[in-house]
Coordinates of all heavy atoms in Angstrom, one line a residue:
M3 N 0.8 -1.2 0.0 CA 0.0 0.0 0.0 C 0.9 1.2 0.0 O 1.9 1.3 0.7 CB -0.9 0.0 1.2 CG -1.8 1.2 1.4 SD -2.8 1.1 2.8 CE -3.9 2.4 2.5
S4 N 0.5 2.2 -0.8 CA 1.3 3.5 -0.8 C 0.3 4.6 -0.8 O -0.9 4.5 -1.1 CB 2.1 3.5 -2.1 OG 1.3 3.6 -3.2
V5 N 0.8 5.7 -0.3 CA 0.0 7.0 -0.2 C 0.6 8.0 -1.1 O 1.8 8.2 -1.3 CB 0.2 7.5 1.3 CG1 -0.5 8.8 1.5 CG2 -0.3 6.4 2.3
D6 N -0.4 8.7 -1.8 CA 0.1 9.8 -2.7 C -0.2 11.1 -2.1 O -0.8 11.2 -1.0 CB -0.6 9.7 -4.1 CG -2.1 9.7 -4.0 OD1 -2.7 9.8 -2.9 OD2 -2.8 9.8 -5.0
K7 N 0.2 12.2 -2.7 CA 0.1 13.5 -2.2 C -1.3 13.9 -1.9 O -1.6 14.6 -0.9 CB 0.8 14.5 -3.1 CG 1.0 15.9 -2.5 CD 1.9 16.7 -3.4 CE 1.4 18.0 -3.7 NZ 2.3 18.8 -4.5
D8 N -2.2 13.5 -2.8 CA -3.7 13.9 -2.6 C -4.2 13.2 -1.4 O -5.0 13.8 -0.6 CB -4.5 13.5 -3.9 CG -4.1 14.3 -5.1 OD1 -3.7 15.5 -4.9 OD2 -4.3 13.8 -6.2
T9 N -3.8 12.0 -1.1 CA -4.3 11.3 0.1 C -3.8 11.9 1.3 O -4.5 12.1 2.3 CB -3.9 9.8 0.0 OG1 -4.3 9.2 -1.2 CG2 -4.4 9.0 1.2
V10 N -2.5 12.4 1.3 CA -1.9 13.1 2.5 C -2.7 14.4 2.7 O -3.1 14.6 3.9 CB -0.5 13.4 2.2 CG1 0.1 14.3 3.3 CG2 0.3 12.1 2.2
L11 N -3.0 15.1 1.7 CA -3.8 16.4 1.9 C -5.2 16.1 2.4 O -5.7 16.8 3.2 CB -3.8 17.1 0.5 CG -2.5 17.7 0.1 CD1 -2.6 18.3 -1.3 CD2 -2.0 18.8 1.1
R12 N -5.8 15.0 1.9 CA -7.1 14.6 2.4 C -7.1 14.3 3.8 O -8.0 14.7 4.6 CB -7.7 13.5 1.5 CG -9.1 13.1 1.9 CD -9.7 12.2 0.8 NE -11.1 11.9 1.2 CZ -11.5 10.8 1.8 NH1 -10.6 9.9 2.2 NH2 -12.8 10.6 2.1
I13 N -6.1 13.5 4.2 CA -6.0 13.1 5.6 C -5.8 14.3 6.5 O -6.4 14.5 7.6 CB -4.9 12.1 5.8 CG1 -5.2 10.7 5.2 CG2 -4.5 11.9 7.3 CD1 -4.1 9.8 5.1
A14 N -4.9 15.2 6.0 CA -4.7 16.5 6.8 C -6.0 17.3 6.9 O -6.2 17.9 8.0 CB -3.6 17.3 6.1
K15 N -6.7 17.3 5.8 CA -8.0 18.1 5.9 C -9.0 17.4 6.9 O -9.6 18.1 7.7 CB -8.7 18.1 4.5 CG -9.9 18.9 4.5 CD -10.5 19.0 3.1 CE -11.9 19.7 3.2 NZ -12.5 19.7 1.8
L16 N -9.1 16.1 6.9 CA -9.9 15.4 7.8 C -9.5 15.6 9.3 O -10.3 15.7 10.2 CB -10.0 13.9 7.5 CG -10.7 13.5 6.2 CD1 -10.5 12.1 5.9 CD2 -12.2 13.9 6.3
A17 N -8.2 15.7 9.5 CA -7.6 15.9 10.8 C -7.5 17.4 11.2 O -7.1 17.7 12.3 CB -6.2 15.3 10.9
R18 N -8.0 18.2 10.3 CA -7.9 19.7 10.5 C -6.5 20.2 10.8 O -6.3 20.9 11.7 CB -8.9 20.1 11.5 CG -10.4 19.7 11.2 CD -11.3 20.5 12.0 NE -12.7 20.3 11.9 CZ -13.5 19.7 11.0 NH1 -12.9 19.1 10.0 NH2 -14.8 19.7 11.0
I19 N -5.6 19.7 9.9 CA -4.2 20.1 10.1 C -3.9 20.9 8.8 O -4.0 20.5 7.7 CB -3.3 18.9 10.1 CG1 -3.6 18.0 11.4 CG2 -1.8 19.3 10.1 CD1 -2.8 16.7 11.4
A20 N -3.4 22.1 9.0 CA -3.0 23.0 7.9 C -1.7 22.4 7.3 O -0.7 22.2 8.0 CB -2.8 24.4 8.4
M21 N -1.7 22.2 6.0 CA -0.5 21.6 5.4 C -0.4 22.1 4.0 O -1.4 22.1 3.2 CB -0.6 20.1 5.4 CG 0.6 19.4 4.9 SD 0.5 17.6 5.1 CE 0.5 17.4 6.9
D22 N 0.8 22.6 3.6 CA 1.0 23.1 2.2 C 1.6 21.9 1.4 O 1.8 20.8 1.9 CB 1.8 24.3 2.2 CG 3.2 24.1 2.7 OD1 3.6 23.0 3.0 OD2 3.9 25.1 3.0
D23 N 1.8 22.2 0.1 CA 2.2 21.1 -0.8 C 3.6 20.6 -0.4 O 3.9 19.4 -0.6 CB 2.3 21.6 -2.3 CG 0.8 21.8 -2.8 OD1 -0.1 21.2 -2.2 OD2 0.7 22.5 -3.8
A24 N 4.5 21.5 0.0 CA 5.9 21.1 0.4 C 5.8 20.1 1.6 O 6.5 19.1 1.6 CB 6.7 22.3 0.7
Q25 N 5.0 20.5 2.6 CA 4.9 19.6 3.7 C 4.2 18.3 3.4 O 4.6 17.2 3.9 CB 4.0 20.3 4.8 CG 4.7 21.5 5.5 CD 3.8 22.2 6.4 OE1 2.6 22.4 6.1 NE2 4.4 22.7 7.5
A26 N 3.3 18.3 2.5 CA 2.6 17.1 2.0 C 3.5 16.2 1.3 O 3.5 15.0 1.5 CB 1.4 17.5 1.1
S27 N 4.5 16.7 0.6 CA 5.4 15.8 -0.1 C 6.3 15.1 0.9 O 6.6 13.9 0.8 CB 6.3 16.7 -1.1 OG 5.5 17.2 -2.1
G28 N 6.8 15.9 1.9 CA 7.6 15.3 3.0 C 6.8 14.2 3.7 O 7.3 13.1 4.1
M29 N 5.6 14.5 4.0 CA 4.7 13.6 4.8 C 4.4 12.4 4.0 O 4.3 11.3 4.5 CB 3.4 14.3 5.2 CG 2.6 13.5 6.2 SD 3.4 13.0 7.7 CE 3.6 14.6 8.5
E30 N 4.3 12.5 2.7 CA 4.1 11.4 1.8 C 5.2 10.4 1.9 O 4.9 9.2 2.0 CB 3.9 11.9 0.3 CG 3.7 10.8 -0.7 CD 3.8 11.3 -2.1 OE1 3.8 12.5 -2.3 OE2 3.7 10.4 -3.0
A31 N 6.4 10.8 1.9 CA 7.6 9.9 2.0 C 7.6 9.3 3.4 O 7.8 8.1 3.5 CB 8.9 10.7 1.8
E32 N 7.3 10.0 4.4 CA 7.3 9.5 5.8 C 6.2 8.4 5.9 O 6.4 7.3 6.5 CB 7.1 10.6 6.8 CG 8.3 11.4 7.0 CD 8.1 12.4 8.1 OE1 7.5 12.1 9.1 OE2 8.6 13.6 8.0
L33 N 5.0 8.7 5.4 CA 3.9 7.7 5.5 C 4.2 6.4 4.7 O 3.9 5.3 5.2 CB 2.6 8.3 5.1 CG 2.0 9.3 6.1 CD1 0.7 10.0 5.5 CD2 1.6 8.7 7.4
N34 N 4.8 6.6 3.6 CA 5.1 5.4 2.8 C 6.2 4.6 3.4 O 6.1 3.3 3.4 CB 5.5 5.8 1.3 CG 4.3 6.2 0.5 OD1 3.3 5.6 0.6 ND2 4.5 7.2 -0.4
A35 N 7.2 5.2 4.1 CA 8.2 4.5 4.8 C 7.5 3.7 6.0 O 7.9 2.6 6.3 CB 9.3 5.4 5.3
L36 N 6.6 4.4 6.7 CA 5.9 3.8 7.8 C 5.1 2.6 7.4 O 5.1 1.5 8.0 CB 5.0 4.8 8.5 CG 4.3 4.3 9.7 CD1 5.2 4.1 10.9 CD2 3.2 5.3 10.1
L37 N 4.4 2.7 6.3 CA 3.6 1.6 5.8 C 4.4 0.4 5.3 O 4.1 -0.7 5.5 CB 2.7 2.1 4.6 CG 1.5 3.0 5.1 CD1 0.8 3.6 3.9 CD2 0.5 2.3 6.0
A38 N 5.6 0.7 4.7 CA 6.5 -0.3 4.3 C 7.0 -1.1 5.5 O 7.2 -2.3 5.5 CB 7.7 0.3 3.5
W39 N 7.3 -0.4 6.6 CA 7.7 -1.0 7.9 C 6.6 -1.9 8.4 O 6.9 -3.0 8.9 CB 8.1 0.0 8.9 CG 8.7 -0.5 10.1 CD1 9.9 -1.0 10.4 CD2 7.9 -0.7 11.4 NE1 10.0 -1.5 11.7 CE2 8.8 -1.3 12.3 CE3 6.6 -0.3 11.8 CZ2 8.4 -1.5 13.6 CZ3 6.3 -0.6 13.1 CH2 7.1 -1.2 14.0
V40 N 5.4 -1.5 8.4 CA 4.3 -2.3 8.9 C 4.1 -3.5 8.0 O 3.8 -4.6 8.5 CB 3.0 -1.4 8.9 CG1 1.8 -2.3 9.2 CG2 3.1 -0.3 9.9
E41 N 4.3 -3.4 6.7 CA 4.2 -4.6 5.8 C 5.3 -5.6 6.2 O 5.1 -6.8 6.0 CB 4.4 -4.2 4.4 CG 3.1 -3.5 3.8 CD 3.2 -3.1 2.4 OE1 4.2 -3.5 1.7 OE2 2.3 -2.4 1.9
Q42 N 6.5 -5.2 6.6 CA 7.5 -6.1 7.1 C 7.1 -6.9 8.2 O 7.5 -8.1 8.4 CB 8.8 -5.3 7.4 CG 9.6 -4.8 6.3 CD 10.8 -4.1 6.7 OE1 11.1 -3.9 7.9 NE2 11.7 -3.7 5.8
L43 N 6.2 -6.4 9.1 CA 5.7 -7.1 10.3 C 4.9 -8.3 9.9 O 4.9 -9.3 10.6 CB 4.9 -6.2 11.2 CG 5.7 -5.1 11.9 CD1 4.7 -4.2 12.7 CD2 6.7 -5.7 12.8
S44 N 4.3 -8.3 8.7 CA 3.5 -9.4 8.3 C 4.4 -10.6 7.9 O 3.9 -11.8 7.8 CB 2.6 -9.1 7.1 OG 3.4 -8.8 6.0
E45 N 5.7 -10.4 7.7 CA 6.6 -11.5 7.4 C 7.0 -12.3 8.7 O 7.6 -13.4 8.6 CB 7.8 -11.0 6.7 CG 7.5 -10.3 5.4 CD 8.8 -9.6 4.9 OE1 9.9 -9.7 5.5 OE2 8.6 -8.9 3.9
V46 N 6.7 -11.8 9.8 CA 7.1 -12.4 11.1 C 6.2 -13.6 11.4 O 5.0 -13.5 11.3 CB 7.1 -11.4 12.3 CG1 7.4 -12.1 13.6 CG2 8.0 -10.3 12.0
D47 N 6.8 -14.7 11.7 CA 6.1 -15.9 12.0 C 5.7 -15.9 13.5 O 6.5 -16.0 14.4 CB 6.9 -17.2 11.7 CG 6.2 -18.5 12.1 OD1 4.9 -18.5 12.1 OD2 6.8 -19.5 12.4
C48 N 4.4 -15.7 13.7 CA 3.9 -15.7 15.1 C 2.8 -16.8 15.3 O 1.9 -16.6 16.1 CB 3.4 -14.3 15.4 SG 2.1 -13.7 14.3
E49 N 3.0 -17.9 14.6 CA 2.0 -19.0 14.7 C 1.9 -19.6 16.1 O 0.8 -19.9 16.6 CB 2.4 -20.0 13.7 CG 1.3 -21.1 13.5 CD 0.1 -20.5 12.9 OE1 0.1 -19.6 12.0 OE2 -1.0 -21.0 13.2
N50 N 3.0 -19.8 16.7 CA 3.0 -20.5 18.0 C 3.2 -19.5 19.2 O 3.6 -19.9 20.3 CB 4.1 -21.5 18.1 CG 3.9 -22.6 17.1 OD1 2.8 -23.1 16.9 ND2 4.9 -23.1 16.4
V51 N 2.9 -18.3 19.0 CA 3.0 -17.3 20.1 C 1.6 -17.1 20.7 O 0.7 -16.8 20.0 CB 3.5 -15.9 19.5 CG1 3.6 -14.9 20.6 CG2 4.8 -16.1 18.8
P52 N 1.6 -17.3 22.0 CA 0.3 -17.2 22.7 C -0.2 -15.7 22.8 O 0.7 -14.8 22.9 CB 0.5 -17.8 24.1 CG 2.0 -17.6 24.3 CD 2.6 -17.7 23.0
P53 N -1.5 -15.5 22.8 CA -1.9 -14.1 22.9 C -1.6 -13.5 24.3 O -1.6 -14.3 25.3 CB -3.4 -14.2 22.7 CG -3.8 -15.6 22.7 CD -2.6 -16.4 22.6
M54 N -1.2 -12.3 24.3 CA -0.8 -11.6 25.5 C -1.5 -10.3 25.7 O -1.8 -9.7 24.7 CB 0.7 -11.4 25.5 CG 1.6 -12.6 25.3 SD 3.4 -12.3 25.4 CE 3.6 -11.1 24.1
T55 N -1.6 -9.9 26.9 CA -2.1 -8.5 27.2 C -1.0 -7.6 27.6 O -1.2 -6.4 27.6 CB -3.1 -8.5 28.4 OG1 -2.5 -9.1 29.5 CG2 -4.4 -9.4 28.0
S56 N 0.2 -8.1 27.8 CA 1.3 -7.4 28.2 C 2.6 -8.1 27.9 O 2.6 -9.4 27.8 CB 1.3 -7.1 29.7 OG 2.5 -6.4 30.1
V57 N 3.7 -7.4 27.7 CA 5.0 -8.1 27.4 C 5.5 -8.8 28.6 O 6.4 -9.7 28.5 CB 6.0 -7.2 26.8 CG1 5.5 -6.7 25.4 CG2 6.3 -6.0 27.7
V58 N 5.1 -8.4 29.8 CA 5.5 -9.0 31.1 C 4.4 -9.8 31.6 O 3.2 -9.4 31.7 CB 5.8 -7.9 32.1 CG1 6.2 -8.5 33.4 CG2 6.9 -6.9 31.6
E59 N 4.7 -11.1 31.8 CA 3.6 -12.0 32.3 C 3.2 -11.6 33.7 O 4.1 -11.5 34.6 CB 4.1 -13.4 32.3 CG 3.0 -14.4 32.6 CD 3.4 -15.9 32.3 OE1 4.3 -16.1 31.6 OE2 2.8 -16.7 33.0
Q60 N 2.0 -11.3 33.9 CA 1.5 -11.0 35.3 C 0.0 -11.3 35.4 O -0.7 -11.5 34.4 CB 1.7 -9.5 35.5 CG 0.9 -8.6 34.5 CD 1.2 -7.1 34.6 OE1 1.8 -6.7 35.6 NE2 0.8 -6.3 33.7
R61 N -0.4 -11.5 36.6 CA -1.8 -11.8 36.9 C -2.4 -10.5 37.4 O -1.8 -9.8 38.2 CB -1.9 -12.9 37.9 CG -1.5 -14.2 37.4 CD -1.8 -15.3 38.4 NE -3.0 -15.3 39.0 CZ -4.2 -15.9 38.5 NH1 -4.1 -16.5 37.4 NH2 -5.3 -15.8 39.2
L62 N -3.6 -10.2 37.0 CA -4.3 -9.1 37.5 C -4.8 -9.3 39.0 O -5.3 -10.4 39.3 CB -5.6 -8.8 36.6 CG -5.3 -8.4 35.2 CD1 -6.6 -8.2 34.4 CD2 -4.5 -7.1 35.2
R63 N -4.6 -8.3 39.8 CA -5.1 -8.4 41.1 C -6.6 -8.2 41.2 O -7.1 -7.3 40.5 CB -4.4 -7.3 42.0 CG -3.0 -7.6 42.3 CD -2.4 -6.5 43.1 NE -1.7 -5.6 42.2 CZ -1.3 -4.4 42.5 NH1 -1.4 -4.0 43.7 NH2 -0.7 -3.6 41.6
T64 N -7.2 -9.0 41.9 CA -8.7 -8.9 42.0 C -9.1 -8.8 43.4 O -8.3 -9.1 44.3 CB -9.4 -10.2 41.4 OG1 -8.9 -11.4 42.1 CG2 -9.1 -10.3 39.9
R65 N -10.3 -8.3 43.6 CA -10.8 -8.2 45.0 C -12.2 -8.9 44.9 O -12.8 -9.1 43.9 CB -11.0 -6.8 45.4 CG -11.8 -5.9 44.5 CD -12.0 -4.5 45.1 NE -12.7 -3.7 44.1 CZ -14.0 -3.6 43.9 NH1 -14.8 -4.4 44.5 NH2 -14.5 -2.8 43.0
E66 N -12.7 -9.2 46.1 CA -14.0 -9.9 46.2 C -15.1 -8.8 45.8 O -15.0 -7.7 46.1 CB -14.2 -10.4 47.6 CG -13.4 -11.6 48.0 CD -13.8 -12.1 49.3 OE1 -15.0 -12.1 49.6 OE2 -13.0 -12.6 50.0
D67 N -16.1 -9.3 45.1 CA -17.2 -8.4 44.7 C -18.2 -8.4 45.8 O -19.0 -9.3 45.9 CB -17.7 -8.9 43.4 CG -18.7 -8.0 42.8 OD1 -18.8 -6.8 43.2 OD2 -19.4 -8.4 41.8
V68 N -18.1 -7.5 46.7 CA -19.0 -7.4 47.8 C -19.8 -6.1 47.7 O -19.3 -5.0 47.3 CB -18.3 -7.5 49.2 CG1 -17.6 -8.8 49.4 CG2 -17.3 -6.4 49.3
V69 N -21.0 -6.1 48.2 CA -21.8 -4.9 48.3 C -21.5 -4.1 49.5 O -21.4 -4.6 50.6 CB -23.3 -5.3 48.3 CG1 -24.2 -4.1 48.4 CG2 -23.7 -6.1 47.1
T70 N -21.2 -2.8 49.3 CA -20.9 -1.9 50.4 C -22.2 -1.2 50.9 O -23.2 -1.2 50.1 CB -19.8 -0.9 50.1 OG1 -20.3 -0.1 49.0 CG2 -18.5 -1.6 49.7
D71 N -22.2 -0.6 52.0 CA -23.4 -0.1 52.5 C -23.8 1.2 51.8 O -25.0 1.5 51.7 CB -23.2 0.2 54.0 CG -22.1 1.2 54.3 OD1 -21.3 1.5 53.4 OD2 -22.0 1.7 55.5
G72 N -22.9 2.0 51.2 CA -23.3 3.2 50.6 C -24.0 4.1 51.5 O -23.6 4.3 52.7
G73 N -25.2 4.6 51.1 CA -26.0 5.3 52.1 C -25.5 6.6 52.6 O -25.8 7.0 53.8
Y74 N -24.6 7.2 51.9 CA -24.0 8.5 52.4 C -24.6 9.7 51.6 O -24.0 10.8 51.6 CB -22.5 8.5 52.2 CG -21.8 7.4 52.9 CD1 -21.2 6.4 52.3 CD2 -21.8 7.4 54.3 CE1 -20.5 5.4 53.0 CE2 -21.1 6.4 55.0 CZ -20.5 5.4 54.3 OH -19.9 4.4 55.0
A75 N -25.8 9.6 51.0 CA -26.3 10.6 50.2 C -26.5 11.9 51.0 O -26.3 13.0 50.6 CB -27.7 10.2 49.6
D76 N -27.0 11.8 52.3 CA -27.2 13.0 53.1 C -25.9 13.7 53.3 O -25.8 14.9 53.3 CB -27.9 12.6 54.4 CG -29.3 12.1 54.2 OD1 -30.0 12.6 53.3 OD2 -29.8 11.3 55.0
D77 N -24.9 13.0 53.6 CA -23.5 13.6 53.9 C -23.0 14.3 52.6 O -22.4 15.3 52.7 CB -22.5 12.5 54.4 CG -22.9 12.0 55.8 OD1 -23.6 12.7 56.5 OD2 -22.5 10.9 56.1
L78 N -23.2 13.6 51.5 CA -22.7 14.2 50.2 C -23.5 15.5 49.8 O -22.9 16.4 49.4 CB -22.9 13.2 49.1 CG -22.0 12.0 49.1 CD1 -22.4 11.0 48.0 CD2 -20.5 12.4 49.0
M79 N -24.8 15.5 50.1 CA -25.6 16.7 49.8 C -25.2 17.9 50.6 O -25.6 19.0 50.3 CB -27.1 16.4 49.9 CG -27.5 15.4 48.8 SD -27.4 16.1 47.1 CE -26.2 15.1 46.4
K80 N -24.6 17.7 51.7 CA -24.2 18.8 52.6 C -23.2 19.7 51.8 O -23.1 20.9 52.1 CB -23.5 18.3 53.9 CG -24.5 17.7 54.8 CD -23.7 17.2 56.1 CE -24.7 16.4 57.0 NZ -24.0 15.8 58.1
N81 N -22.4 19.2 50.9 CA -21.4 20.0 50.1 C -22.0 20.6 48.9 O -21.4 21.4 48.2 CB -20.3 19.0 49.7 CG -19.5 18.5 50.9 OD1 -19.3 19.2 51.8 ND2 -19.0 17.3 50.8
A82 N -23.3 20.3 48.5 CA -23.9 20.8 47.3 C -24.3 22.3 47.5 O -25.0 22.6 48.5 CB -25.0 19.9 46.9
P83 N -24.0 23.2 46.6 CA -24.5 24.5 46.7 C -26.0 24.6 46.6 O -26.6 25.4 47.3 CB -23.9 25.2 45.5 CG -22.9 24.3 44.9 CD -23.1 23.0 45.4
Q84 N -26.6 23.7 45.7 CA -28.0 23.6 45.6 C -28.4 22.2 45.4 O -27.7 21.5 44.6 CB -28.5 24.4 44.4 CG -29.0 25.8 44.6 CD -29.6 26.4 43.3 OE1 -28.9 26.4 42.3 NE2 -30.8 26.8 43.4
S85 N -29.4 21.7 46.1 CA -29.8 20.3 45.9 C -31.3 20.3 46.1 O -32.0 21.1 46.6 CB -29.2 19.4 47.0 OG -29.6 19.8 48.3
E86 N -31.8 19.2 45.5 CA -33.2 18.9 45.6 C -33.4 17.4 45.8 O -33.0 16.6 45.0 CB -33.9 19.3 44.3 CG -35.4 19.3 44.3 CD -36.0 19.9 43.0 OE1 -35.7 21.0 42.7 OE2 -36.7 19.1 42.3
G87 N -33.8 17.0 47.0 CA -33.8 15.6 47.4 C -32.4 15.2 47.5 O -31.6 15.8 48.2
H88 N -32.0 14.1 46.8 CA -30.6 13.6 46.8 C -30.0 13.9 45.5 O -29.2 13.1 45.0 CB -30.5 12.2 47.2 CG -30.8 11.9 48.6 ND1 -31.4 10.7 49.0 CD2 -30.6 12.6 49.7 CE1 -31.5 10.8 50.4 NE2 -31.0 11.9 50.8
F89 N -30.3 15.0 44.8 CA -29.8 15.4 43.5 C -29.2 16.7 43.5 O -29.7 17.6 44.2 CB -30.9 15.3 42.4 CG -31.6 14.0 42.3 CD1 -32.7 13.7 43.0 CD2 -31.0 13.0 41.5 CE1 -33.3 12.4 42.8 CE2 -31.5 11.7 41.4 CZ -32.7 11.4 42.0
F90 N -28.1 16.9 42.7 CA -27.5 18.2 42.6 C -28.4 19.1 41.6 O -28.8 18.6 40.6 CB -26.1 18.1 42.0 CG -25.1 17.5 43.0 CD1 -24.9 16.2 43.0 CD2 -24.5 18.3 43.9 CE1 -23.9 15.6 43.8 CE2 -23.6 17.8 44.8 CZ -23.3 16.4 44.8
V91 N -28.6 20.3 41.9 CA -29.3 21.2 41.0 C -28.2 22.1 40.3 O -27.4 22.7 40.9 CB -30.2 22.1 41.8 CG1 -30.9 23.1 40.9 CG2 -31.3 21.3 42.5
V92 N -28.3 22.0 39.0 CA -27.3 22.8 38.1 C -28.1 23.6 37.1 O -29.2 23.3 36.8 CB -26.3 21.8 37.4 CG1 -25.5 21.1 38.4 CG2 -27.0 20.8 36.5
P93 N -27.5 24.6 36.6 CA -28.1 25.4 35.5 C -28.3 24.6 34.3 O -27.5 23.8 33.9 CB -27.2 26.6 35.3 CG -26.1 26.5 36.3 CD -26.2 25.2 36.9
K94 N -29.4 24.9 33.6 CA -29.7 24.2 32.3 C -28.7 24.7 31.3 O -28.5 25.9 31.1 CB -31.1 24.5 31.9 CG -31.6 23.8 30.7 CD -33.1 24.1 30.4 CE -33.5 23.3 29.2 NZ -34.9 23.6 28.9
V95 N -28.1 23.8 30.6 CA -27.1 24.1 29.6 C -27.5 23.8 28.2 O -26.9 24.2 27.2 CB -25.7 23.4 29.9 CG1 -25.1 24.0 31.1 CG2 -25.8 21.9 29.9
V96 N -28.6 23.0 28.0 CA -29.1 22.6 26.7 C -30.5 23.0 26.6 O -31.3 22.8 27.5 CB -29.0 21.1 26.5 CG1 -29.5 20.7 25.1 CG2 -27.5 20.6 26.6
E97 N -30.8 23.7 25.5 CA -32.2 24.2 25.3 C -33.0 23.2 24.5 O -32.5 22.5 23.7 CB -32.2 25.6 24.7 CG -31.6 26.6 25.6 CD -31.7 28.0 25.0 OE1 -32.6 28.2 24.2 OE2 -30.8 28.8 25.4

């Protein structure tokens, strides 16, 4: 896969990046080099490599899933500048 100058300018427009023709030519070469490097990765044999979530083998720490008491709504509402019941009152921002 290769990228031409028009594609670079289109990507720049979609990303809202200001780019002139000289910059686009330089970026074209950089993107084509990057894509060539990615294509080299497809040559690597990874048939017997197990899927990993990290390069360092580790186990995720877990905790027991227990229900806590919660029930601190009254204490939380003491900090609210305006409240109604157990809800914060805020100005309307969408009409």
Side-chain angles (χ1 to χ4, degrees):
M3 178 180 190
S4 66
V5 176
D6 60 354
K7 190 167 136 182
D8 292 333
T9 304
V10 171
L11 290 173
R12 184 168 182 262
I13 292 169
K15 182 180 178 183
L16 290 172
R18 300 202 182 344
I19 298 172
M21 187 175 292
D22 60 11
D23 289 341
Q25 291 173 323
S27 297
M29 188 59 67
E30 177 185 355
E32 287 185 38
L33 286 174
N34 282 324
L36 180 71
L37 290 172
W39 182 78
V40 170
E41 284 180 11
Q42 285 181 352
L43 291 176
S44 65
E45 298 172 7
V46 176
D47 180 25
C48 56
E49 189 66 34
N50 295 320
V51 178
M54 302 182 300
T55 58
S56 174
V57 294
V58 178
E59 188 173 337
Q60 60 184 350
R61 291 185 46 86
L62 296 176
R63 287 181 264 169
T64 57
R65 59 174 169 81
E66 289 187 33
D67 191 12
V68 295
V69 177
T70 59
D71 61 347
Y74 299 113
D76 292 328
D77 294 335
L78 292 172
M79 289 297 114
K80 289 179 187 175
N81 294 324
Q84 265 186 303
S85 64
E86 190 173 300
H88 287 147
F89 299 97
F90 291 94
V91 176
V92 296
K94 185 177 181 178
V95 293
V96 178
E97 294 183 26

